[in-house]
Amino acid sequence: MLVEIAVATAVRGTFTYRVPSRLAGEVMLGSRVAVPFGKSARATGYVVGLPTVPPPGVELRDVAAVLDEFPPFTAPLLRLIRWAEDYYLVPPGELMRAALPPGLNARKGAAGPTRRGVEFVTPAAGAADALAKTGARAHARRAVLEYLLARGRIPVEELRAAFPRGRPALTALVKAGLVSLTTVSVAAGGDALLPAAEYPPPLTPDQSAALSRIAAAAGSFRTFLLLGVTGSGKTEVYLQAIAAARAAGKGALVLVPEIALTPQLAGRFRARFGDQVALLHSGLTDRERHGEWLRLRRGEARICVGVRSAVFAPVQDLGIVVVDEEHDPSFKQDDGPGYHARDLAVVRAREEGAVCVLGSATPSLETLENARTGKYERIDLPRRIDDRPLPEVRIVDLSRIRKGAPLPGLLSPPLQDALAATVARGRQAILFLNRRGFQTLVLCRDCGREERCTRCSVSLTLHARRGVLLCHYCGATERMNRRCPDCGGERTGVGVGTEQVEATVRELLPQARVARMDRDAVTGAGDVAELLARFARRELDVLVGTQMVTKGHDFPGVTLVGVVLADTALALPDFRAAERTFQLLTQVAGRAGRGDDPGQVIVQTFHPHSPAVAFAVGHDHAGFAEVELDRRRSLGYPPFGRMLAVRVEGSEEGARRTAEALGEAARQALPAGVTMLGPAPAAIERIRGKNRWHILFRAPTPSALRSVHRALAATAHRPPGGASVRFDMDPGSML
Ligand code: ADP
Ligand code: ZN
């Protein structure tokens, strides 16, 4: 017996091995095996084919062992992987390794947890008083308790999504009698026996119409774009569509951008479907992820809620695939095997004959165009639940205001006034700025010396609280000196970051309770949850933060959203800069006015007339899409063409030589209709001491790009100058 094996490293192609008779019954399509490979006695491999004739002139080696009780890859998953391997031009073994939970490699045949109910946690009556007495030393316990007091009775799963390492704290709280755990049993059919509050609410007419169209498609492959404004009840539509699929005995896969930022979502699925839900995200330990994966593989759990890599989760008999916030950039992997999970989700649905639902308030232009051409069917939820109005959006043109006095922390008088009024009325505000730190550039007043990272071609950001200059690409730090190291002149900083905004708000409104949410202020998922919980309990008046504050949070007390500078992403040398800006503005604006009070949004910008800003003001997704699609069409950019980025990294000399050799090879074999941009140094020329070059190819179809890849394969395999070469199909970022 012969097998075709993909080896779990970055090598192209597959290899043929012989199966010794002692393993004959065990090796199957999709099995994970150990094989001798090159000089290594044991490498991990995956069985991707069962050839009948050996390749000529090769001495065959034997499969050494089978690594699992049953093959980790089912037939539809293998088809998906072969498709992805071909489309994304990635080595199959690398992709297959990335598709499996990390814990799988640790132990063979792990038992995995068996669960029979949904555990709920409830804060006890005296918990709030106890919290007041808890010292700062009991930090973790305090954070968990704060979260529980804000949310009330919740499934333990939600708490675990919010506090990945919160188990000891929870145990301590139970011991202290401050919270209680109850297990709700699960009926034989899998339905959790839940209190009435957890039963689905009656749908709005828009939601019902959406649900019936999705349900009517059940049993065959169809893709829907569910375009619903923020707060229109998309999640409820997913939940009920999945309930319908489960009633027909089918499984479901739900992909979400990031679980730590939206722990409630995981909780909503667990509360509705109980034990049938398996969660796959990076907040779990390897062992837990492996356990959840096994429950899916064995068919004990039939619904998977997970992040990007969960597109490969072994859900059995898939009936529906949901991608929430389908426009989110995190679905595209930017290093390693560069697949796009949203696009693979559609392919997976096709391979399994399932319905696919892509949901967003700000769909990507790729998806929107697919809906326009009829490839996808579009369903609209144009209204918020309870007909709450979308917030009013006002522009502050900074180019006019700046002509007067300099703005403290970039906060203009209108934004300062709105902030003060909001806090005075006991309401809450969110201030969004997509730049961390205090000042983004430090200069010498005398000689003009600019402080730059020695390993990356970027300037260092001043983090005043820590007293350091920090590189946001490699993390290198330098002590901040007031004097220039070259001439001894006085140094000055420019460019406002979130840290400065926070400090300015504290100065302007000394009585306001202010906190900051960015990667400096919160380091773990637990910190995020704690901060969001305090904000939800209205112990904070103003939350300043990076894009972390734009995600799907639901805070009824927020009546003001301030965008400190809308232009940070607009200036990036990336053809999606306008689209990303529009999405961020719309998403953050959607945080305002979710309660009974109407919301207000103030957008500060130097470019009030750029389409991304102007259409976000009118909540006009269609208007923005029309203008932006026209522009993309005229330039041949996606969705009207495909792109392949070839990314080269190496020494200064090596990267240049490799990039030039690749450019030359491409020029000689450039298929008709393909344009080549570059080779050129990347927008960020150096990261971590490695020089970076890019070549971009644009073509009407992916197949033309595949022939470019073929033309470059030999050079990429033996790059002159020894640089590394990565092919990135449908690149997410141009930087
Ligand atoms: P989206 O995902 O579109 O932002 P959600 O599904 O989170 O919206 O819904 C927004 C809020 O409205 C949530 O608090 C949700 O529980 C509530 N909600 C959704 N559908 C209904 C409904 N049919 N009746 C009452 N409340 C609903
Ligand atoms: Zn650096």
Side-chain angles (χ1 to χ4, degrees), residues 698-723:
R698 227 170 38 205
T701 61
S703 65
L705 293 174
R706 264 202 294 279
S707 45
V708 171
H709 173 251
R710 270 194 301 277
L712 299 188
T715 316
H717 192 61
R718 264 180 256 288

Side-chain angles (χ1 to χ4, degrees), residues 650-658 691 720-721:
S651 66
E652 189 171 359
E653 168 69 10
R656 186 183 54 75
R657 272 179 53 204
T658 298
N691 281 65

